[in-house]
């Protein structure tokens, strides 16, 4: 018999080591709102760790515009919420025709609770051969339009 002792993964919200796309070089970003202390770069760039936060409450959009169509095989998202209980919903959509039409990739809800689940990390394997626009729509709380959206990390491969 072989035995191995395992420990809980305390880095569950840290993006795994992978050959991620350098979004700073290949994408332009559009956002519906941004807290100056938590700009979108803090969620998109590998050397940043504090994440993005909206300056206005309610549903927010983060849109990545690619100069050249990108083949995407993986979408990795990480959300953190340690201070309030809420049910967040997000959608990921993509376009291959510069935003003329969109295909929904995923729609998901997650319940955050300060006394329980304070993080959500999703790793999606996709086969998207020529993405020109990737859009993340975050509704921070489906029951309260006064909640603020945030995103710890977004990575693409």
């Amino acid at each position: 018999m072989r035995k191995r002792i395992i420990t809980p993964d305390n880095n569950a919200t840290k993006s795994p080591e992978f050959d991620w796309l350098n979004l700073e070089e290949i994408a332009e970003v559009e956002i519906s709102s941004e807290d100056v202390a938590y700009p979108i770069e803090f969620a998109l760039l590998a050397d940043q760790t504090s994440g993005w936060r909206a300056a206005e409450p309610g549903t927010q959009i983060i849109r990545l515009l690619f100069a050249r169509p990108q083949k995407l095989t993986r979408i990795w998202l990480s959300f953190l919420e340690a201070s309030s209980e809420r049910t967040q919903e997000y959608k990921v959509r993509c376009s291959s025709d510069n935003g003329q039409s969109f295909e929904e990739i995923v729609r998901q809800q997650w319940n955050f609770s300060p006394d329980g689940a304070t993080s959500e990390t999703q790793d999606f394997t996709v086969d998207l051969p020529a993405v020109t626009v990737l859009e993340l729509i975050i509704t921070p709380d489906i029951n309260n339009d006064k909640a603020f959206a945030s995103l710890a990390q977004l990575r693409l491969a």
Side-chain angles (χ1 to χ4, degrees):
M1 173 187 343
R2 294 181 194 182
K3 178 170 80 171
R4 204 173 1 177
I5 297 175
I6 59 172
T7 58
D9 184 4
N10 293 328
N11 292 318
T13 58
K14 183 178 178 206
S15 69
E17 296 303 319
F18 198 75
D19 192 16
W20 301 112
L21 294 176
N22 184 341
L23 297 177
E24 188 172 28
E25 291 182 4
I26 65 169
E28 189 176 328
V29 65
E30 295 178 344
I31 51 175
S32 54
S33 176
E34 177 178 76
D35 182 324
V36 294
Y38 298 94
I40 191 62
E41 294 86 353
F42 287 7
L44 301 179
L45 302 180
D47 62 342
Q48 300 295 326
T49 58
S50 59
W52 164 84
R53 189 171 301 151
E56 304 293 327
T59 299
Q60 303 294 324
I61 299 172
I62 299 169
R63 187 176 297 132
L64 298 175
L65 309 163
F66 299 106
R68 289 180 296 138
Q70 297 296 311
K71 177 181 172 73
L72 298 182
T73 58
R74 195 168 170 197
I75 301 171
W76 193 87
L77 294 161
S78 177
F79 298 93
L80 298 173
E81 175 57 77
S83 61
S84 66
E85 191 166 312
R86 61 186 175 92
T87 300
Q88 173 179 283
E89 178 178 271
Y90 70 86
K91 295 184 282 190
V92 178
R93 305 182 329 155
C94 75
S95 174
S96 295
D97 57 10
N98 295 309
Q100 298 301 309
S101 63
F102 282 88
E103 172 188 352
E104 190 169 293
I105 306 303
V106 66
R107 178 188 301 239
Q108 188 163 346
Q109 290 184 355
W110 182 261
N111 294 316
F112 289 104
S113 172
D115 297 325
T118 58
S119 68
E120 174 190 14
T121 301
Q122 296 293 323
D123 190 350
F124 300 103
T125 300
V126 295
D127 183 16
L128 305 170
V131 176
T132 56
V133 180
L134 185 79
E135 192 173 72
L136 173 62
I137 302 167
I138 304 169
T139 302
D141 190 341
I142 62 172
N143 301 309
N144 176 6
D145 62 358
K146 303 295 184 220
F148 286 79
S150 62
L151 173 67
Q153 294 181 331
L154 167 63
R155 302 290 182 261
L156 302 173

